[in-house]
Amino acid sequence: MSAPRGTGGSSLFARLPSRRAAIAMLAAGGAGSLAACSSFPTEGDVFQSDAVNEGGGVLIQTAPGPVDGAAPVAIVEGFLRACTAGLSDGFATAREFLVDSAADSWQPMSPLLLASGSEPLTVRRADDGGVTISGKLEGSLDSTGVLSAQGLDYSESLTLVTTARGQWRIASLPPGAVVQGSVLRTAFTQQSIRFLNAAHDRPIPDPRWLSRKRLEEAALEALLSGPAAWLKDVATTAIPNGTRLQEVKVVDRVATVRLRADASSWGSEAQALAVAQITATMKEVSGIDTVIVMAGDQRLAAQVTPLDAAAEPGAVVGMSGGAVVRGTSTTRAVLMQPSTLGTMGARHPSLGVDGGVCVVSGPSILRVGPGGTQAASILSVGDSPEDAVGLLPPRQDRHHWIWTASQGGLIVVDARGVRAEVAAAWLSDRCVISMDISAESDRIAVRHRDAADPSNQSGERVDAAAIIRDGEGRPTRLGDRYPVAGLTGQGARELAWYSGTELITIEPSQDGQGTASLVIASLGCLEASRSPGPPTANGIAANRLNQTMLLSDSDGQLWSRASGTWRVISTTVTDAGYPIV
């Protein structure tokens, strides 16, 4: 029978103890607690009824099963607590709250739903006799470890029936388990799985949240199963289809990976690339320095070149005295004189892989080809000062395409100014505020707002997406957007790739008070990190690879950080930026 109607309800996670309170109870040796624990995770709330430490930073969480005679709301509350413990016990306790058929068919990790810690879930009896769970979600984690950091309203209804013993159990429920978002770092750790671009000459990192219990195996299985859905059109692999993991053993910081594969079917180049992918992926795991890859009893390529060995952007490019320069010291190289550019007012230089230079001049983008002696206009977006303000600094990608935006619309042109029509359905009613291209040029990051009200920051989003190209490298469309959390703080406009998996922005000081904040967000995370920057910082130059960056300020100064301290390195170089190589 269905649960009887009622109005009872409760706010579940609000009544659960905080991490600090739980630790205090454990330390005091309270009922159901462990007398001594060697360590606890450094982040996240503990809101289960009991917790013990397995070692290696893995916290084992437990929860009681259903209590005889419990009412429907209490059964659902207990089920939610057991879902969090399910990350430790394989959801065995959570299934005790379900009827047998539901327990057999329920898929708790498809997906794992991450509830907001600031807005507790509410459990209440519904008018139709069921029990509803409602609240806010911070995101979700799918069965492959891909996290979607997109806040959503959550509301689901569960049907309960009584068993032959007269006990309430859940008979119908939606896929996935709901847990508090703060447990993410308790049970999982984020790792970058290393795939390849189409040319197999640059890595494309794919961040995943993997179980701490079997991290080495999970990382390799993620690599063998292929890239995340949002990267599938650009990320490739040199590992043959059908390759399976036999085992991985780590001894004295050496990981031996044994694959179920026929090594004789792999060419030497494919072997080297596959081993490079596996090596780069495994070295993301703490405690591994060396990786040996075996196919059956045969060792695959022992000497490999690191995947990102060729991706070194070199010195920063900027403007000084009307000229395009490279470097910030007094011995910096002059790339283009004002006479070549045809103007003393050029800004925002961009150096291409072929040596060609683009600059912004009013509402136009000028380009000087490699070895050229005169700039040519390849794009004009108007003739008024307002048009010039709306033109974003250009980015030259590795395929010789130049990316910018004007009046909120994304624009892509080649070296001659011929436009590429790049389809992006998710930008159709949006206004591009800032954007950047990743180091391998297969991903874009975009800050965008509602086109109907672009001055309103409340509807702002930051998304990453794959850049999909034709066989000649011409961009044709952007893939599905992948939300990035934490970068839409007050006043933030800049956006840059800080590394292969991180984006960076600046939240400027408000009304000249305090200092600017540097905000860094990892792809696939629920929050961003903040640190103070120079007081009036308003511009970022990041090299997209290894967290190297410079900041510019409203006084025309260029800042660098060393050992946690910011210092001015130039007062004569402006509009700094790193080239994509």
Side-chain angles (χ1 to χ4, degrees):
M1 60 183 289
S2 298
R5 297 183 181 182
T7 58
S10 64
S11 184
L12 177 66
F13 292 147
R15 302 203 317 272
L16 297 168
S18 68
R19 175 178 180 269
R20 182 175 297 177
I23 292 174
M25 287 189 289
L26 289 172
S33 69
L34 189 68
C37 291
S38 59
S39 63
F40 281 88
T42 58
E43 298 182 18
D45 291 337
V46 177
F47 57 92
Q48 68 290 337
S49 62
D50 197 5
V52 296
N53 192 283
E54 189 183 55
V58 180
L59 186 72
I60 300 301
Q61 305 184 63
T62 64
V67 176
D68 284 351
V73 167
I75 288 293
V76 174
E77 289 180 342
F79 170 69
L80 289 174
R81 292 188 182 92
C83 282
T84 295
L87 298 173
S88 298
D89 71 1
F91 297 94
T93 302
R95 285 188 166 89
E96 294 178 14
F97 291 84
L98 312 179
V99 299
D100 290 346
S101 59
D104 292 339
S105 62
W106 181 50
Q107 299 181 30
M109 295 295 293
S110 298
L112 190 67
L113 305 173
L114 306 171
S116 170
S118 60
E119 299 184 40
L121 292 176
T122 297
V123 180
R124 66 176 66 251
R125 297 270 284 277
D127 291 340
D128 63 1
V131 175
T132 62
I133 306 170
S134 59
K136 292 282 188 181
L137 297 181
E138 293 182 323
S140 61
L141 185 71
D142 73 14
S143 59
T144 68
V146 177
L147 187 143
S148 175
Q150 187 170 13
L152 297 170
D153 291 328
Y154 178 78
S155 181
E156 292 288 352
S157 181
L158 283 64
T159 301
L160 282 80
V161 298
T162 54
T163 67
R165 296 179 55 247
Q167 303 298 318
W168 289 106
R169 293 294 182 267
I170 299 168
S172 176
L173 73 168
V178 181
V179 301
Q180 198 169 19
S182 57
V183 307
L184 185 65
R185 293 187 183 276
T186 302
F188 301 89
T189 186
Q190 194 178 44
Q191 301 287 324
S192 286
I193 309 303
R194 300 301 175 126
F195 293 98
L196 302 170
N197 64 350
H200 286 186
D201 62 354
R202 291 289 189 277
I204 298 180
D206 183 354
R208 307 287 184 93
W209 287 93
L210 305 176
S211 171
R212 292 180 182 273
K213 287 185 176 181
R214 48 186 304 274
L215 183 55
E216 295 86 358
E217 292 88 347
L220 288 166
E221 288 166 357
L223 177 61
L224 296 177
S225 64
W230 75 281
L231 291 172
K232 63 181 176 59
D233 290 315
V234 296
T236 66
T237 181
I239 302 172
N241 288 335
T243 302
R244 295 291 179 264
L245 176 65
Q246 180 175 330
E247 66 174 2
V248 55
K249 293 183 178 179
V250 181
V251 179
D252 295 332
R253 306 183 72 85
V254 177
T256 301
V257 177
R258 196 174 299 276
L259 304 174
R260 298 185 188 276
D262 180 7
S264 64
S265 64
W266 296 20
S268 58
E269 182 179 355
Q271 276 196 34
L273 284 169
V275 172
Q277 282 184 259
I278 293 169
T279 299
T281 297
M282 291 302 292
K283 284 188 174 181
E284 287 276 325
V285 178
S286 177
I288 295 178
D289 294 331
T290 304
V291 181
I292 298 171
V293 183
M294 309 286 293
D297 294 327
Q298 180 177 337
R299 182 173 182 178
L300 300 182
Q303 300 295 325
V304 297
T305 302
L307 292 178
D308 56 357
E312 175 54 56
V316 71
V317 175
M319 300 299 304
S320 181
V324 179
V325 299
R326 187 159 199 181
T328 59
S329 69
T330 55
T331 58
R332 55 184 172 258
V334 176
L335 301 182
M336 294 290 166
Q337 294 284 2
S339 57
T340 302
L341 299 173
T343 176
M344 286 291 295
R347 298 198 62 189
H348 304 300
S350 175
L351 177 63
V353 292
D354 61 356
V357 173
C358 288
V359 295
V360 172
S361 178
S364 300
I365 291 180
L366 311 179
R367 186 176 188 273
V368 181
T373 59
Q374 185 175 3
S377 175
I378 61 170
L379 176 68
S380 180
V381 296
D383 52 17
S384 69
E386 291 77 13
D387 295 326
V389 170
L391 184 61
L392 294 188
R395 303 283 190 261
Q396 295 194 68
D397 70 23
R398 296 183 64 240
H399 302 272
H400 311 289
W401 288 90
I402 300 146
W403 298 71
T404 184
S406 176
Q407 303 302 320
L410 192 66
I411 300 173
V412 188
V413 298
D414 67 8
R416 300 166 298 165
V418 177
R419 293 201 186 200
E421 297 300 325
V422 180
W426 51 274
L427 283 176
S428 61
D429 58 351
R430 307 292 292 177
C431 175
V432 176
I433 303 300
S434 55
M435 61 88 197
D436 195 21
I437 306 298
S438 63
E440 82 291 338
S441 297
D442 285 316
R443 295 167 296 160
I444 187 173
V446 185
R447 180 190 301 280
H448 54 105
R449 299 176 183 170
D450 185 349
D453 189 12
S455 63
N456 185 354
Q457 194 178 1
S458 63
E460 185 174 275
R461 297 198 299 257
V462 172
D463 293 306
I467 300 172
I468 299 161
R469 305 174 187 268
D470 64 17
E472 297 180 350
R474 181 189 187 95
T476 58
R477 64 184 176 92
L478 302 184
D480 293 339
R481 68 184 188 93
Y482 185 66
V484 184
L487 295 173
T488 56
Q490 185 175 2
R493 291 186 66 89
E494 294 286 305
L495 185 65
W497 287 94
Y498 186 48
S499 70
T501 58
E502 297 169 298
L503 298 175
I504 187 170
T505 190
I506 294 175
E507 292 179 4
S509 58
Q510 300 300 312
D511 301 322
Q513 302 298 314
T515 62
S517 292
L518 205 58
V519 186
I520 300 169
S522 296
L523 302 186
C525 278
L526 296 176
E527 69 285 323
S529 64
R530 284 171 167 75
S531 61
T536 59
N538 58 10
I540 305 170
N543 78 353
R544 303 175 177 86
L545 287 170
N546 58 10
Q547 303 178 335
T548 296
M549 66 171 171
L550 301 174
L551 299 183
S552 55
D553 67 16
S554 56
D555 297 320
Q557 300 178 117
L558 200 59
W559 296 75
S560 175
R561 183 171 60 183
S563 301
T565 301
W566 290 100
R567 64 184 183 90
V568 175
I569 60 170
S570 176
T571 58
T572 58
V573 176
T574 61
D575 297 332
Y578 284 92
I580 295 174
V581 296

